[in-house]
């Protein structure tokens, strides 16, 4: 039932498609920019920046997670859903499984699109190519997709807690960007706290092959994001069971 609802809404396809296009465009733009760059870009420079489109993709897929819940509250369909399946925990678990699977698929496609956009744009230049045969490169691409899926689940949790589309998307945006701005005011001394922030983990540990010293490793950062997602969905589940539809 949740899969039917998700794929029958146009916003799902638009958000997923724009996420993929955004990452592909960012990767291509970076590659084109580096074609005439002096000195010649390194493998790390071109690869790290090729995945920068994840900055936008995380919000788009996060919004997908939000709308999966708030869309039903806005239309009143949530009452029919809970009448058909009185066990609210089951409903939320079903939404999380479907949302996570869809977002992981879209996130991985978007991540590979960003990588390929950057690599195709530098063909014929002296810039060293980044091969997926390199485990470090492949890991960064895969973990970026996993990070995006975790963001969608955080959006699902926030949407369940707030139950209003605009407010939930605003809160999600604030959670992603505001903490890193505050931490940035403290310079390098803020890394001890900043390594727990999603955006810093993405830009300096997950979507790169040259992680910043002092941050959690890429795999640990993605696991931490999954922990955030689990906490958000769990809190949403508690409130879903206690509040009226």
């Amino acid at each position: 039932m949740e899969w039917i609802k998700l794929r029958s809404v146009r916003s799902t396809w638009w958000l997923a498609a724009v996420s993929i296009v955004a990452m592909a465009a960012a990767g291509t733009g970076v590659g084109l920019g580096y074609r005439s760059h002096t000195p010649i870009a390194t493998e790390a420079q071109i690869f790290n920046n090729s995945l920068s489109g994840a900055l936008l993709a995380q919000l788009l897929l996060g919004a997908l997670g939000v709308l999966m819940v708030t869309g039903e509250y806005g239309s009143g369909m949530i009452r029919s859903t809970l009448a058909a399946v009185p066990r609210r925990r089951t409903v939320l678990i079903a939404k999380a499984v479907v949302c996570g699977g869809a977002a992981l698929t879209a996130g991985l496609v978007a991540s590979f699109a960003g990588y390929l956009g950057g690599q195709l744009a530098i063909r014929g230049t002296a810039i060293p190519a980044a091969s997926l045969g390199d485990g470090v490169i492949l890991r960064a691409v895969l973990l970026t997709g996993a990070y995006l899926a975790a963001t969608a689940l955080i959006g699902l949790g926030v949407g369940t807690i707030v139950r209003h589309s605009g407010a939930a998307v605003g809160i999600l945006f604030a959670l992603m960007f505001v903490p890193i701005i505050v931490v940035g005011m403290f310079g390098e001394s803020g890394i001890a706290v900043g390594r727990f922030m999603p955006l810093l983990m993405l830009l300096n540990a997950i979507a790169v092959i040259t992680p910043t010293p002092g941050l959690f490793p890429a795999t640990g950062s993605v696991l931490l994001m999954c922990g955030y997602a689990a906490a958000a969905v769990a809190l949403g589940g508690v409130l879903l069971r206690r509040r009226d539809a």
Side-chain angles (χ1 to χ4, degrees):
M1 181 178 68
E2 291 300 332
W3 170 239
I4 292 173
K5 286 189 287 187
L6 180 67
R7 64 187 175 88
S8 64
V9 179
R10 283 182 293 179
S11 61
T12 299
W13 299 101
W14 277 108
L15 289 168
V18 175
S19 298
I20 295 169
V21 171
M23 287 202 66
T28 303
V30 166
L32 292 175
Y34 273 121
R35 286 183 68 90
S36 57
H37 186 272
T38 303
I40 296 175
T42 64
E43 178 189 43
Q45 284 178 311
I46 183 65
F47 178 81
N48 294 353
N49 290 302
S50 291
L51 298 181
S52 60
L55 285 170
L56 177 58
Q58 66 176 346
L59 294 178
L60 294 170
L61 293 181
L64 186 152
V66 166
L67 293 175
M68 192 164 182
V69 177
T70 59
E72 288 199 59
Y73 277 102
S75 64
M77 187 183 291
I78 189 67
R79 298 185 184 89
S80 299
T81 298
L82 297 180
V85 186
R87 294 184 177 181
R88 299 188 176 194
R89 181 182 299 172
T90 301
V91 171
L92 187 57
I93 291 174
K95 287 183 179 295
V97 170
V98 172
C99 176
L104 180 60
T105 301
L108 288 173
V109 173
S111 185
F112 276 102
Y115 160 78
L116 289 175
Q119 295 304 302
L120 291 174
I122 63 171
R123 274 192 171 182
T125 69
I127 302 173
S131 172
L132 289 176
D134 185 340
V136 176
I137 300 293
L138 180 61
R139 182 182 63 188
V141 173
L142 293 177
L143 290 182
T144 299
Y147 170 94
L148 294 174
T151 303
L153 289 175
I154 292 174
L156 179 76
V158 173
T160 307
I161 295 168
V162 178
R163 302 194 295 185
H164 184 277
S165 300
V169 171
I171 290 173
L172 181 65
F173 180 89
L175 289 174
M176 292 295 168
F177 288 93
V178 173
I180 197 63
I181 294 174
V182 175
V183 168
M185 297 172 61
F186 296 92
E188 293 184 2
S189 60
I191 290 182
V193 177
R195 60 183 179 169
F196 292 94
M197 307 302 174
L199 196 58
L200 191 62
M201 290 191 292
L202 172 67
L203 296 178
N204 295 281
I206 298 172
V208 296
I209 56 176
T210 52
T212 300
L215 297 182
F216 294 120
T219 303
S221 295
V222 171
L223 290 176
L224 182 57
M225 281 294 294
C226 291
Y228 291 159
V233 173
L235 179 56
V238 171
L239 295 178
L240 181 64
R241 294 181 64 188
R242 292 184 177 180
R243 296 186 301 200
D244 294 332

